[in-house]
Amino acid sequence: MTLSLAQKVGVAAVAVAAIGGVSFGATAFAAGGQQDGHRSATSVAAQPAAKSVAKSSAKSSAAAAEDTAPRMVSQKIAEGVVDGLAWSVTLEFYPTLPDGYDPPEFGGKGLPAAAKKELQDKDALLCQRMVIDGVLIDHQGGPWADCQAVDGAHDPMGSGGAGLWGFQDKGTSGSRLFVATPQANVAYGVVRLADGTDLKGTTVAVPHTGYRAWAVAIPDGKTITAVDTYEADGTLVDHDTMWR
């Protein structure tokens, strides 16, 4: 179960992004010249070799196309141990909507027509994979839980949010993960606990995209007093006391 008290409003969706290169179609040709309607002996001899070269060229071109085709990019944001349990947060970016992806209804019937259209126009996907003790948070929601449609690799709607995530009481108790997807100027964040402990998370970016995140784990029974974010030189960006 989750509690995502996002600091941005709206449905974040998905977009087309071609990272990793452009896919080109394979081309090949076979030589076997004719003169005056008659095939020469030299051309007949050359044909098998030409076909072999063409097949090899086609295979090489197909392999090159596969290598440069857009693929999912996965980036580990943070990992560690909390309450004796291993945890991790990873961002996944799909430049095109994966096979089998079914957009969530978001309460469906109450979604404005304009918002529905905006979602339909998105064709990339950004997923936030959060794991505690080997179990994916929100796994009950299916393989695309905690994923949002985005418009390409640099959709501003993919940044600016934060949330507490856990398995019980909607993330307000037990071992929890605090995950933020900050703007580009945020280099790190610090979650300050009531017992005086400071938990620092460093912003990590998904290669070739504008998406990034930082994350820390909150031990069971601990209370958050503030969340502060900073630029690389230590300049305070935001001081938020809404998290508990």
Side-chain angles (χ1 to χ4, degrees), residues 7 9 23 29 46 55 102 113 138 149 156 163 207 225:
Q7 297 172 333
V9 177
S23 177
F29 65 90
K55 290 181 179 179
D102 185 19
D138 287 344
T225 58

Side-chain angles (χ1 to χ4, degrees), residues 12-19 70-72 92-98 101 103-104 118-127 144 147-155 158 209 211:
V14 197
V16 185
I19 61 176
R71 292 191 177 96
M72 183 272 284
E92 295 176 355
F93 173 70
Y94 296 79
T96 58
L97 293 180
Y101 172 69
E118 183 180 359
L119 284 174
Q120 292 172 353
D121 291 341
K122 309 290 186 179
D123 55 4
L125 198 67
L126 181 65
C127 297
W144 307 115
C147 295
Q148 66 180 69
V150 289
D151 185 10
H154 299 276
D155 189 343
T209 79
Y211 306 121

